Amino acid sequence: MRALILSALAALTLASPALAGDLSVIVRNVQGQPVKDAVVTLKPASGGAAGAPISFTWPYSVAQQNISFNPFVLIVPVGSNVTFPNKDNVRHHVYSFSPTKKFELKLYGRDESRSVVFDKAGVVALGCNIHDQMIAYVVVVDTAYAAKTGADGVALIRNAPAGNTAMTVWQPYMKTARNQVVKTIAVPAAGGRQEISVDLRPAPGAMNMIH
């Protein structure tokens, strides 16, 4: 009987997708300094899980506050409804010309909010038609394995899938095509860490909507 139980457990283990521990991705610039607001996504060679990135919670929001967008970079899964509340004492006119999602939220004032559904994977650059210095990005992902670097340059991806996976690192000021690099990595069964160095352009003083 014990042998049958062990055999059944082994079969279940083999049938289940292999999961690793947490994967830390450290992103630095060519001077060795940590890079903030870089988005790291994983797509396993065997096919990754779609849906909301692990550890991410709804609701998704980009606020207009102190004549800027907060957060500067927001990661959301495909199909997400994102709100755009105005917390300033002035009106804003939020829009995007990005192919991933073109939209326009015409003038609205303090304590008012609008929303947009992001139904396609890709990067959406945001701007304000009244305040040219305002810029932000919504990164729409079709994988459950995504994270953003903090001020320490570290993106932590929970329960990363073990094995070969395509890792994409995106940051709006990277000196590469589409502001990203893609490389194949092998995620150990116990998780671990990856380090990557990227070359960045200086942050523009005004909004650049070319993507």
Side-chain angles (χ1 to χ4, degrees):
M1 184 67 177
R2 183 172 179 273
L4 288 174
I5 293 173
L6 290 175
S7 178
L9 288 173
L12 285 173
T13 301
L14 291 172
S16 300
L19 291 179
D22 297 339
L23 178 70
S24 295
V25 180
I26 299 94
V27 184
R28 296 189 179 95
N29 62 18
V30 292
Q31 290 78 35
Q33 300 166 325
V35 174
K36 185 181 179 182
D37 291 316
V39 175
V40 180
T41 57
L42 301 180
K43 285 199 172 180
S46 58
I54 295 170
S55 299
F56 278 46
T57 57
W58 186 89
Y60 302 111
S61 177
V62 178
Q64 299 134 70
Q65 192 170 17
N66 300 321
I67 317 298
S68 62
F69 288 115
N70 183 30
F72 174 59
V73 173
L74 176 70
I75 307 173
V76 301
V78 172
S80 294
N81 184 70
V82 178
T83 60
F84 293 86
N86 186 354
K87 299 182 179 181
D88 281 332
N89 289 321
V90 298
R91 295 194 295 173
H92 291 293
H93 183 148
V94 182
Y95 73 98
S96 177
F97 291 149
S98 299
T100 298
K101 187 67 178 184
K102 294 181 173 70
F103 69 90
E104 185 176 18
L105 305 176
K106 295 187 177 181
L107 285 170
Y108 60 104
R110 182 177 176 85
D111 295 330
E112 292 185 296
S113 184
R114 303 289 187 268
S115 64
V116 175
V117 174
F118 291 84
D119 49 8
K120 179 182 177 182
V123 177
V124 181
L126 308 175
C128 174
N129 204 32
I130 307 302
H131 308 95
D132 286 347
Q133 74 273 25
M134 292 177 64
I135 182 171
Y137 298 87
V138 176
V139 180
V140 189
V141 300
D142 55 1
T143 174
Y145 309 108
K148 182 177 72 171
T149 58
D152 59 358
V154 178
L156 181 63
I157 298 180
R158 301 285 187 184
N159 299 325
N164 290 335
T165 184
M167 180 180 74
T168 299
V169 180
W170 172 94
Q171 212 274 356
Y173 306 134
M174 285 176 61
K175 292 181 179 178
T176 54
R178 301 178 64 190
N179 304 326
Q180 67 180 27
V181 293
V182 182
K183 60 184 297 187
T184 299
I185 63 171
V187 180
R193 56 184 281 162
Q194 289 281 328
E195 297 189 19
I196 185 168
S197 176
V198 298
D199 197 6
L200 303 180
R201 303 183 299 272
M207 183 181 61
N208 179 2
M209 297 295 288
I210 300 175
H211 288 277

